[in-house]
């Protein structure tokens, strides 16, 4: 019970300190923070919240609260304050999402490995640094990774890796969209083909009665002369019954 009350009191004290702090923040500082946020690398939410890569979820929430109060559209008169406020909210959402956070940290770890490999190559050329690194059994490397120089290089390398991954994602999405478009086109062409075939069959079936009727008329009256039409006489070459007398043919 006492611990709960103590935690609640601590939260109240933090809120009061924040309110007092922002009461003293000038408009110029708020505007500068808006500009900083909007100039951040869009694929790295750690940059938006101005946090190191090893920040915990609680630190993310605390930093978000601090910065969001600074650039809140109701408090900040900068014309892009709303945009900066939204960017902070998106950054917090990503860093509190376990899948997104794991993805980002995997890119950070890959960046560290690349920088460490690069440093090993440099140490091979620098004998003094190599000896110092071996003597201090990793302490030298650990100090270097905590240095401002390494953190700056890490930030740049993470940007590179995130950019590469985003390009691959977009390229893959483009291929997927193209394939979906092709499949949709094929499907539409297939539908159109079946539609034309169905219309042809319906048209053929629709004229069936007419065709049958025409055929019947032909069969009934096919041997009769049409009105006004003359038919040539048949020539008899033989008459097995000899029922007529063939006229003699005059020879010229």
């Amino acid at each position: 019970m006492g611990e709960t009350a103590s935690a609640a009191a601590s939260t109240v004290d933090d809120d009061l300190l924040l309110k007092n702090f922002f009461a003293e923040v000038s408009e110029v500082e708020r505007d500068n923070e808006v500009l900083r946020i909007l100039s951040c690398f869009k694929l790295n939410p750690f940059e938006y919240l101005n946090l190191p890569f090893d920040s915990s979820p609680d630190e993310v929430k605390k930093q978000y609260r601090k910065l969001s109060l600074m650039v809140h559209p109701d408090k900040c008169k900068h014309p892009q304050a709303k945009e900066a406020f939204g960017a902070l909210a998106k950054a917090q959402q990503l860093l509190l999402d376990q899948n997104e956070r794991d993805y980002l940290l995997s890119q950070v770890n890959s960046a560290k490995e690349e920088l460490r490999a690069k440093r090993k190559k440099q140490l091979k050329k620098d004998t003094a640094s190599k000896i110092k690194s071996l003597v201090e059994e990793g302490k030298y490397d650990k100090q270097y990774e905590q240095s401002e120089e390494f953190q700056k290089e890490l930030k740049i390398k993470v940007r590179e890796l995130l950019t590469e991954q985003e390009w691959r994602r977009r390229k893959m999405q483009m291929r997927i969209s193209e394939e979906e478009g092709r499949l949709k086109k094929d499907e539409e062409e297939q539908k159109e083909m079946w539609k034309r075939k169905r219309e042809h069959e319906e048209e053929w079936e629709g004229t069936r009665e007419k065709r049958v009727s025409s055929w019947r008329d032909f069969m009934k009256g096919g041997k009769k002369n049409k009105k006004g039409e003359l038919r040539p006489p048949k020539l008899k070459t033989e008459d097995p019954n000899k029922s007529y007398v063939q006229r003699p043919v005059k020879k010229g």
Side-chain angles (χ1 to χ4, degrees), residues 189-234:
E189 289 178 352
Q190 192 75 7
K191 285 181 179 179
E192 185 63 25
M193 184 188 73
W194 283 108
K195 181 182 178 183
R196 289 197 300 268
K197 184 177 180 182
R198 188 167 56 252
E199 289 175 349
H200 176 72
E201 290 175 350
E202 290 174 356
E203 184 180 352
W204 176 260
E205 187 64 25
T207 58
R208 179 175 180 276
E209 194 62 35
K210 183 178 179 181
R211 286 183 284 105
V212 171
S213 178
S214 297
W215 175 252
R216 286 173 180 167
D217 291 344
F218 172 76
M219 295 300 292
K220 287 179 181 180
K223 296 182 179 180
K224 294 181 180 179
N225 294 341
K226 294 182 179 179
K227 191 175 182 180
E229 180 181 351
L230 296 177
R231 177 179 294 180
K234 291 184 178 179

Side-chain angles (χ1 to χ4, degrees), residues 6 43 104 109 140 169 176 203:
S6 177
L43 301 177
L104 288 166
N109 290 332
Y140 179 67
R169 186 191 68 80
I176 292 172
E203 184 180 352

Side-chain angles (χ1 to χ4, degrees), residues 16-216:
L16 184 60
L17 287 172
L18 275 174
K19 289 179 181 179
N20 291 335
F21 169 74
F22 287 114
E24 299 174 1
V25 174
S26 68
E27 200 62 40
V28 173
E29 290 175 302
R30 292 179 186 275
D31 290 349
N32 288 339
E33 184 59 23
V34 169
L35 295 175
R36 184 199 69 78
I37 293 170
L38 297 179
S39 66
C40 286
F41 180 60
K42 296 185 181 299
L43 301 177
N44 187 359
F46 285 103
E47 286 193 29
Y48 281 106
L49 294 174
N50 201 18
L51 285 171
F53 293 119
D54 58 355
S55 300
S56 67
D58 287 338
E59 289 171 329
V60 169
K61 292 177 184 178
K62 187 174 181 179
Q63 182 74 345
Y64 167 73
R65 177 168 171 73
K66 176 182 176 181
L67 297 182
S68 63
L69 286 173
M70 181 176 279
V71 300
H72 195 286
D74 293 342
K75 306 288 184 181
C76 180
K77 297 179 182 179
H78 194 283
Q80 292 179 291
K82 186 176 181 180
E83 186 179 346
F85 183 78
L88 290 177
K90 180 66 175 177
Q92 180 190 226
Q93 179 185 356
L94 290 172
L95 292 178
L96 294 181
D97 183 288
Q98 191 60 48
N99 291 332
E100 289 291 340
R101 186 181 181 86
D102 289 345
Y103 165 72
L104 288 166
L105 293 180
S106 70
Q107 298 306 307
V108 172
N109 290 332
S110 296
K112 285 182 178 179
E113 290 301 322
E114 288 192 27
L115 292 177
R116 285 166 183 162
K118 179 182 175 182
R119 180 162 175 76
K120 283 184 179 180
K121 290 182 180 180
Q122 292 175 342
L123 288 176
K124 287 181 180 179
K125 298 177 182 179
D126 187 351
T127 307
S129 297
K130 183 179 179 180
I131 293 172
K132 186 176 181 180
S133 177
L134 292 171
V135 170
E136 296 187 5
E137 297 180 353
K139 185 179 179 182
Y140 179 67
D141 292 334
K142 187 175 182 181
Q143 288 176 345
Y144 173 71
E145 291 187 9
Q146 292 175 346
S147 68
E148 186 177 345
E149 179 185 356
F150 179 82
Q151 292 301 318
K152 186 177 180 180
E153 288 183 356
L154 179 61
K155 186 177 179 180
I156 294 172
K157 179 55 68 174
V158 169
R159 284 186 176 188
E160 291 177 2
L161 294 182
L162 290 174
T163 301
E164 289 176 5
Q165 291 298 324
E166 179 64 13
W167 168 243
R168 289 174 184 170
R169 186 191 68 80
R170 292 188 183 187
K171 195 172 181 180
M172 180 60 69
Q173 187 61 43
M174 190 183 301
R175 288 179 179 176
I176 292 172
S177 298
E178 288 175 354
E179 182 64 15
E180 287 177 347
R182 187 187 67 78
L183 291 175
K184 186 176 181 181
K185 184 180 178 182
D186 290 347
E187 183 181 357
E188 289 175 352
E189 289 178 352
Q190 192 75 7
K191 285 181 179 179
E192 185 63 25
M193 184 188 73
W194 283 108
K195 181 182 178 183
R196 289 197 300 268
K197 184 177 180 182
R198 188 167 56 252
E199 289 175 349
H200 176 72
E201 290 175 350
E202 290 174 356
E203 184 180 352
W204 176 260
E205 187 64 25
T207 58
R208 179 175 180 276
E209 194 62 35
K210 183 178 179 181
R211 286 183 284 105
V212 171
S213 178
S214 297
W215 175 252
R216 286 173 180 167

